[in-house]
Amino acid sequence: MNAATFARWGFDGPRFVYGLRTAIAACIALFIAWGMGLEHPQWAAMTVWAGSQPIRGMLIEKSLFRAAGTAVGVVAGVLLMLLARGDAVILVVGLALWVGLCAAAGNVVRGFVSYGTILAGFSAAMVTLLSTAHHDSIVLLATDRFATVLVGVVVALIVGLVFTPAASGDYESAATKLTARLLDEMARPAEERSLKEQKAILSEAATIEEALDPRAAGSINGRRLAHAVRALLLALVSGLLWLRGSEAARTDAETRQLLAEGGQVDAARFPEGARALRSISLGVDGLDNRPLEERDVHASVLLHRDWVGARTAGIRATATMLVIGLVWVVTGWEAVPYVLLGTSVMVTVFSTFDDPANFLKAVFTGQVLGAIAALACRWLLWPHADNELAMLLMMVPFILSGSLVQSHKLSVPAAMDYAMVFLLLSQPVLPLSGTFLQSVFNAAAVISGPLIAMAAFRLIYPIHPRKRLQLLVAAMVHELEHMAKGEGAAGGERWRMRLNHRLLRLVRWVEKTGSKDVDAFEGSFAVLALGSAIARLRELQAGGDLSQSTARAMRAALLRCADVGEEPEAAARAMEQLATRLPAPSDTELLVDAARQVRAESAFFRLGAA
């Protein structure tokens, strides 16, 4: 078959080669693990499928965190077994809490650290739930489980290092070009500035920022460079937000000349502009022409953490595991551990996805196909095998077929789960035991995992792209409310840096959802304007040089701002009323500008309170 015919039938050539390489590596791991006498050699092949990556750095880092996550999960599983001492109730409760904790932590951290954290959760489930030949020795159990996974990790790493290309993409150059575009925009007269160009710069910065971590994976220098690029991108956001304010509107020719030359502006006249330019200057210093290890790339970078999403992911995972575990405790049905295992994977791994319930439809399809393949191998081929080696050889065609599933445009999302479920249900050991009906029940138990997880993602704190967008806006608004209550860090740059990163993330969510009713740029500027006003009011309060009436009005304004998500218009009115009492024209302008922005973007603030 030539390449044109292959493509005409819907297959992607490079993806097929990648899938075939992964499948061959999985077969190698399977035979090595079997040769070592490990109890579940097919789990080594599963590890290859799970750990394979198309980029070398991602492969290295994922392999590292897979090994680390597995080690932690194995230890946790062993401790649970020691604690439970055969009591199913203690085992179920302990496992549910552990899986929930790992799901929550995996939604706070980023990249492959998140993957390793989540893996620690369901690795404990694999240790505790499936039958083992080592009931009499916890040490043998832990050693067997970890060695099995380690074989897969090592094989995937060796094969990947030989055949997998390095990452491509010059994000350093892209960020530098964006900086030049922004400085050019800042140097223009107010009437010549283009909102379209500003939003284009913001969109490109958001796209670059999202791609930094995967491209930097597996390299210390790559991480350093990613940090430097991210620091510059966050500084550019400060410049973009400055362009939307009153300071930028009154720049004169001399100031614009300084901006065009990359110099600093008068901090007394343009405090926000001077702050933004200092940040940009520090960011550019991190991307100069010196060798990477000699650069000053220690500029502060404070990132958004999804604490609300983490909490809900943990609660969802724990609750789901407890419900299924209760069924196991009450019925004692031997297939339920497979349900628990499959569900533990689904409710943790997919909790970090944009739209987990929707994606699980493809996962379910892949698992059904994998279960059918496992049943065919077990009942059509294995009865003719005289030894375990023959059984492994009979598994090879099914494993290799995963490359076809992975390369067809219609089945790509299902490929991983096709291979994983086939291997999970295929235990190559003689003599064969069980009935066909038992095999069907076990297969049904495994593939019920995606269905249960779909229900959990839709019923327990439903999560989808629109909800994630709303949670991000809520994080912005709630931080302002905490600042107004005196509970947050109103001074310094921490909240500004966090706002900048949230704006980049928000832009990507708006683009992903196609939302027309959320203006990420204008809404975030309103948040910045109000945050700056709150920070200034806190400074004035701390100074103590206020009349009693002004102090009362300031407390009232801050009290209104503490509820800005529910009543943005009331917060805007309070700011306007307070502005008439402040002696400094700059403070009056700051509050009036904040009130105008909050009133104009009241829908944005209400979204944060929804």
Side-chain angles (χ1 to χ4, degrees), residues 444-457:
V446 169
I447 65 177
S448 68
L451 298 178
I452 294 171
M454 272 192 276
F457 283 120

Side-chain angles (χ1 to χ4, degrees), residues 333-335 375 379 434-444:
W333 187 23
E334 62 182 12
L375 290 172
W379 292 98
T435 65
F436 177 73
L437 191 59
Q438 288 176 323
S439 295
V440 171
F441 279 151
N442 287 340

Side-chain angles (χ1 to χ4, degrees), residues 203-233:
S203 177
E204 291 183 38
T207 301
I208 294 171
E209 194 278 333
E210 187 177 53
L212 285 177
D213 287 335
R215 296 295 180 179
S219 167
I220 295 176
N221 274 351
R223 287 294 179 195
R224 288 171 57 85
L225 180 58
H227 181 97
V229 172
R230 182 172 279 118
L232 178 56
L233 293 175

Side-chain angles (χ1 to χ4, degrees), residues 18-40:
Y18 167 68
L20 183 60
R21 184 173 68 239
T22 303
I24 293 173
C27 292
I28 294 172
L30 173 70
F31 283 97
I32 292 176
W34 174 77
M36 292 172 62
L38 299 174
E39 183 185 355
H40 294 285

Side-chain angles (χ1 to χ4, degrees), residues 88 92 319-337 339-340 452:
V92 165
T320 306
M321 295 290 287
L322 284 174
V323 169
I324 302 171
L326 178 63
V327 174
W328 185 30
V329 171
V330 172
T331 66
W333 187 23
E334 62 182 12
V336 177
V339 181
L340 274 169
I452 294 171

